[in-house]
Amino acid sequence: MSKNISGFSKKSKEEKIEWLIATYFEGNLQAKETLTSYWNTDQKLQQLHDEFIENTVSNFYLPLGVAPNFIINNKNYTLPMVIEESSVVAAAAKAAKYWSTRGGFKTTILGQEKIGQVHFIFKGETKKLNSFIDEIKPMFFEDTKGITKNMSARGGGITSISLVDKTSEIKGYYQLHACFNTIDSMGANFINSCLEQFSKTLVREAGLNEDLKKEEPIEIIMSILSNYVPNCLVKAEVRCPIEALESEDGLTKSQFAEKFVRAVEIARIEPHRAVTHNKGIMNGIDAVVLATGNDFRAVEAGIHAYACKSGQYRSLSQASIKGEELCFSLEIPLAIGTVGGLTNLHPLVKWSMQLLGSPNAMQLMEIIAVAGLAQNFGALRSLVTSGIQKGHMKMHLLNILNQLNASSLEKEAALNYFKTTAVSYSAVNDFLKNKNA
Ligand code: MEV
């Protein structure tokens, strides 16, 4: 049977599923049942989910967990986290509790600037282009007034537009580099709409300009926001006297602090370690970004680019011992929103926002950065003491038991038994076999 199909998106959901089952599952009705069993019985809610994207055939569940006891700038939060990795929420909750009795997390917003660019080719003299852009700059603002009206009323809008000469890298290549403040929205649609208007204004005005008319016409290559936002920045930190730390797994308090700082230094200079170190940070960040309906791909791309800002991929967090104190901090760019997008649509996103006390975008940036720092602390604390597997495998135990179809009684017995025994797939398998022998 051919696997090519035209007009797929025009088919009804049922027709799409029929085609998938016939083409890829040999007509197996169990495969259809798997999809339909995840449909929501509330038709309106299901329709909402169907319409988020094209060709929806079912819903893909991820757990929504919560991590309580976060003290952020002296305020108590319970963080919503959407993630499939078994140990992440537990680690966040443990780190939150740890720091809740040591002064909590402190945060600072270092900037809120978003960026967009019109990329274009101009073959004439740079000098002429420079004075032309200076001359027409007010028109970029004027022509986008319809788009920026509401944003301006909220205190945001276009904050600057400049011409960037990139001709030394690509012949004739220039950018209109624009900066924006999008207040509480992520602002992707707002920025892209402004940029597309800038490109129209640019071409129109170039056609009317006496100097530029004589040149080859400007060619717009593309107009798009940038997910690299190094000036939309938040810092989260914790600090406490070494004396207030816990002695861990055979390490004294100061041995622990020194080993902890050394681990962060390694991630600063060693890219292989830095990537894994930052992956652990992203465990916390992505989980809250997802729960609050934000674009985790944009956040990921921007943060990893920031980790490379020195020319080498490095740790996003920093640790040091200053006097008698352990200081640990994280600085990341975060372009997120608390209005628009999924935030007004997805019932669980609305719920998560309410759980967080309906934060504005700056407050959510702070909360997300804290989630990253807490996760990093949890991972490093395990890595430099007992090792990561102890906690990981404990949390993974339920997944293994589910894979082996263990009953509730078997699970209870296994959870008890593996409190003092190392968890592995084969150890759990043997335990169940022996139990039933
Ligand atoms: C696992 O998801 C994350 C860690 O590997 C992070 C780290 O190594 O720092 C534990």
Side-chain angles (χ1 to χ4, degrees):
M1 183 183 268
S2 164
K3 291 186 169 134
N4 284 342
I5 183 163
S6 52
F8 185 72
S9 67
K10 306 274 179 320
K11 291 189 184 298
S12 71
K13 185 157 114 180
E14 282 69 20
E15 286 167 337
K16 285 171 189 160
I17 292 175
E18 291 309 324
W19 181 82
L20 288 168
I21 302 305
T23 314
Y24 290 96
F25 297 87
E26 294 161 356
N28 182 347
L29 288 182
Q30 187 53 49
K32 179 176 175 178
E33 165 67 19
T34 303
L35 290 179
T36 56
S37 67
Y38 282 89
W39 286 2
N40 202 297
T41 47
D42 178 338
Q43 303 269 327
K44 249 179 103 183
L45 197 59
Q46 186 52 54
Q47 193 182 345
L48 179 74
H49 282 74
D50 286 352
E51 290 173 4
F52 281 148
I53 59 166
E54 190 164 274
N55 297 342
T56 306
V57 289
S58 190
N59 308 308
F60 191 96
Y61 290 0
L62 282 177
L64 165 63
V66 295
N69 296 318
F70 273 91
I71 308 290
I72 306 175
N73 302 329
N74 302 321
K75 207 171 146 197
N76 197 311
Y77 290 89
T78 294
L79 267 48
M81 302 181 86
V82 169
I83 189 139
E84 87 301 342
E85 191 175 326
S86 39
S87 54
V88 169
V89 176
K94 205 168 154 194
K97 190 95 196 243
Y98 186 98
W99 285 103
S100 68
T101 54
R102 292 169 174 82
F105 295 84
K106 298 280 183 289
T107 60
T108 323
I109 297 289
L110 303 171
Q112 245 204 315
E113 180 186 272
K114 313 263 171 72
I115 290 168
Q117 296 164 321
V118 177
H119 305 266
F120 66 95
I121 302 291
F122 173 69
K123 300 274 176 58
E125 269 178 57
T126 304
K127 223 170 76 195
K128 282 187 188 164
L129 184 66
N130 258 320
S131 48
F132 164 68
I133 295 291
D134 276 349
E135 193 186 305
I136 67 160
K137 203 176 273 183
M139 285 182 200
F140 292 129
F141 290 90
E142 190 56 40
D143 290 354
T144 46
K145 266 199 173 141
I147 308 167
T148 58
K149 198 168 149 248
N150 287 345
M151 193 63 87
S152 304
R154 284 189 271 140
I158 306 158
T159 53
S160 70
I161 304 171
S162 52
L163 179 70
V164 181
D165 180 349
K166 290 281 190 183
T167 51
S168 63
E169 286 160 86
I170 296 179
K171 196 164 169 258
Y173 169 38
Y174 296 87
Q175 301 166 349
L176 273 184
H177 183 96
C179 298
F180 302 84
N181 181 349
T182 60
I183 311 288
D184 286 328
S185 66
M186 189 223 175
N189 286 329
F190 170 77
I191 294 174
N192 288 334
S193 300
C194 288
L195 294 170
E196 288 187 5
Q197 180 55 53
F198 293 166
S199 67
K200 284 186 194 138
T201 302
L202 183 64
V203 170
R204 185 193 69 216
E205 292 304 316
L208 299 173
N209 183 280
E210 286 312 317
D211 274 342
L212 268 73
K213 257 195 325 204
K214 295 179 207 140
E215 311 283 352
E216 239 180 78
I218 282 177
E219 184 194 4
I220 304 291
I221 303 296
M222 59 192 158
S223 308
I224 187 74
L225 93 171
S226 170
N227 290 124
Y228 185 45
V229 281
N231 295 323
C232 190
L233 209 57
V234 54
K235 181 174 180 180
E237 57 194 317
V238 284
R239 57 171 64 217
C240 79
I242 291 174
E243 220 9 73
L245 295 170
E246 275 171 31
S247 35
E248 314 252 353
D249 233 36
L251 296 179
T252 65
K253 293 170 184 182
S254 65
Q255 280 170 336
F256 168 72
E258 275 161 30
K259 215 171 163 191
F260 187 92
V261 170
R262 189 53 46 89
V264 180
E265 278 169 3
I266 290 172
R268 212 189 110 63
I269 60 115
E270 214 297 303
H272 284 92
R273 174 57 202 148
V275 171
T276 317
H277 177 100
N278 290 347
K279 187 274 181 188
I281 293 172
M282 299 314 293
N283 278 342
I285 291 177
D286 280 343
V288 182
V289 168
L290 268 167
T292 55
N294 275 287
D295 181 342
F296 63 94
R297 288 87 54 212
V299 166
E300 283 274 348
I303 290 183
H304 292 299
Y306 192 71
C308 280
K309 69 180 192 302
S310 67
Q312 182 189 312
Y313 191 93
R314 295 181 190 279
S315 156
L316 292 158
S317 61
Q318 306 220 332
S320 60
I321 293 171
K322 289 197 183 116
E324 298 301 306
E325 274 194 329
L326 172 67
C327 308
F328 182 43
S329 65
L330 171 72
E331 202 180 277
I332 45 164
L334 266 180
I336 47 96
T338 52
V339 296
L342 272 197
T343 47
N344 303 335
L345 279 178
H346 198 300
L348 285 174
V349 170
K350 284 194 211 166
W351 185 91
S352 297
M353 288 296 192
Q354 238 177 312
L355 177 71
L356 291 172
S358 306
N360 62 26
M362 287 199 278
Q363 289 161 335
L364 186 58
M365 282 168 77
E366 296 175 324
I367 293 166
I368 292 170
V370 165
L373 186 67
Q375 210 68 47
N376 194 208
F377 177 77
L380 291 171
R381 186 182 178 197
S382 299
L383 284 168
V384 301
T385 57
S386 58
I388 206 74
Q389 281 310 83
K390 195 170 161 207
H392 257 207
M393 292 312 282
K394 278 261 148 20
M395 293 306 300
H396 195 50
L397 176 58
L398 266 181
N399 285 345
I400 299 176
L401 287 165
N402 283 333
Q403 272 174 43
L404 293 167
N405 290 321
S407 67
S408 310
L409 276 180
E410 286 170 332
K411 281 182 189 169
E412 202 184 309
L415 289 173
N416 206 22
Y417 174 78
F418 283 101
K419 270 185 189 150
T420 50
T421 312
V423 178
S424 70
Y425 186 90
S426 59
V428 179
N429 201 13
D430 288 349
F431 172 81
L432 292 178
K433 270 194 193 138
N434 290 338
K435 197 169 179 324
N436 297 324

